[in-house]
Amino acid sequence: MSSDRLSYASPAWFQPGNGPRYLQLSGHISEAIVSGVLTTGDCLPAERELAGLADISRVTVRKAIAQLVADGLIEQRKGAGSFVRNATPKLEQSLSALVSFTENMAARGMTSSSKVLSSGLFTPNSSETFALGVSSVDRVARVKRLRSAGDSPVALEHSSLPEDILPNPSKVHMSLYAVLRQTGKVPTRAIQRVTAVNATGIDAELLGLRDGSAVLKIDRTGYFRTGRPIEFSSGLYRSDIYDFVSEIRQK
């Protein structure tokens, strides 16, 4: 089956100043695979044809395809072409880098979106009191968001911060860290715990999963350089399309 459902013309994927062309093209194709526009067995245009459609060099096409192969999304069959793999594509996020979901998707050349499900200032619960070091007379800002890559929901995130760090949670629409950078209150380090859980009820529904589906649960506490905890987040990430990776170095 061909991939003529996707436009490869440069206006569909290229934005000046948004990174190398090969990464933007590979991101465009990745997003199409994640969203289901391209499905298992679809064949990409031949190298020469794709270069003409995208108005780029064949070298750039080769680099884009190589990136997709490295990401496990495309397989190349000798003498036949490049095909969408018979595997669920996965997004990767490093556990050793403190970046936001929005930044991670942008780095991959993919379009991200957020739907704010709720936000406001509240009396802290026991988990927030412990993680953020606040008292029962303080208030915390809470933001609950559904995060998507392309048209596919991939994460459900709950973020809590002390009121003096985020006095107006309604300002958060896309990136929480972008809002925090405006006042210079971004965490410089974080401790996070990854566990496997089952998504049920409304959580599974929001993520587009069957009730009881396995997901990754990430609890993270972010700190200032002074050691003060200023962010506590708990998120559910679709394990079928999201991987967390870490790099281990010898001391």
Side-chain angles (χ1 to χ4, degrees):
M1 185 179 297
S2 70
S3 61
D4 54 7
R5 296 184 302 277
L6 181 66
S7 173
Y8 297 97
S10 57
W13 55 268
F14 178 67
Q15 294 183 7
N18 202 32
R21 289 177 186 267
Y22 82 92
L23 282 179
Q24 291 195 49
L25 177 58
S26 65
H28 178 60
I29 298 173
S30 295
E31 185 174 320
I33 295 172
V34 170
S35 64
V37 173
L38 297 182
T39 58
T40 299
D42 280 350
C43 180
L44 298 185
E47 183 181 290
R48 183 187 298 275
E49 180 185 359
L50 184 50
L53 290 170
D55 193 26
I56 54 178
S57 70
R58 293 180 67 176
V59 172
T60 301
V61 169
R62 291 190 200 107
K63 292 179 69 174
I65 298 300
Q67 183 65 51
L68 291 164
V69 171
D71 289 342
L73 303 179
I74 294 293
E75 63 177 338
Q76 291 182 299
R77 302 172 189 171
K78 189 173 182 179
S82 301
F83 296 83
V84 176
R85 289 190 59 186
N86 184 20
T88 303
K90 292 197 174 186
L91 305 172
E92 288 188 357
Q93 178 164 325
S94 172
L95 287 173
S96 58
L98 190 55
V99 297
S100 70
F101 177 89
T102 304
E103 292 167 333
N104 184 37
M105 293 300 101
R108 294 177 60 84
M110 299 182 69
T111 302
S112 63
S113 62
S114 292
K115 180 180 180 181
V116 177
L117 303 177
S118 64
S119 66
L121 295 169
F122 303 89
T123 300
N125 58 34
S126 58
S127 296
E128 293 164 335
T129 298
F130 177 78
L132 297 173
V134 294
S135 71
S136 58
V137 299
D138 295 320
R139 293 197 301 177
V140 295
R142 292 180 193 156
V143 182
K144 179 180 179 181
R145 292 169 293 167
L146 179 65
R147 318 304 299 274
S148 299
D151 295 324
S152 299
V154 297
L156 187 60
E157 295 182 342
H158 301 252
S159 301
S160 302
L161 303 93
E163 183 179 8
D164 66 308
I165 301 298
L166 185 63
N168 189 357
S170 64
K171 287 186 175 181
V172 179
H173 301 291
M174 277 290 291
S175 171
L176 169 64
Y177 280 16
V179 174
L180 296 180
R181 285 195 183 95
Q182 294 175 4
T183 55
K185 296 179 179 178
V186 182
T188 58
R189 70 180 183 91
I191 296 175
Q192 52 191 15
R193 180 187 299 272
V194 183
T195 55
V197 299
N198 298 105
T200 58
I202 188 63
D203 290 345
E205 183 179 340
L206 287 169
L207 289 171
L209 300 172
R210 293 181 179 178
D211 195 73
S213 295
V215 295
L216 297 173
K217 184 174 185 289
I218 313 294
D219 291 331
R220 181 171 75 183
T221 304
Y223 300 84
F224 278 157
R225 293 189 186 279
T226 60
R228 180 192 174 188
I230 56 95
E231 176 205 8
F232 174 65
S233 66
S234 182
L236 298 179
Y237 296 81
R238 286 183 52 167
S239 58
D240 59 333
I241 58 175
Y242 217 104
D243 269 345
F244 284 83
V245 298
S246 60
E247 180 180 0
I248 301 174
R249 297 175 182 265
Q250 184 178 23
K251 290 186 177 180

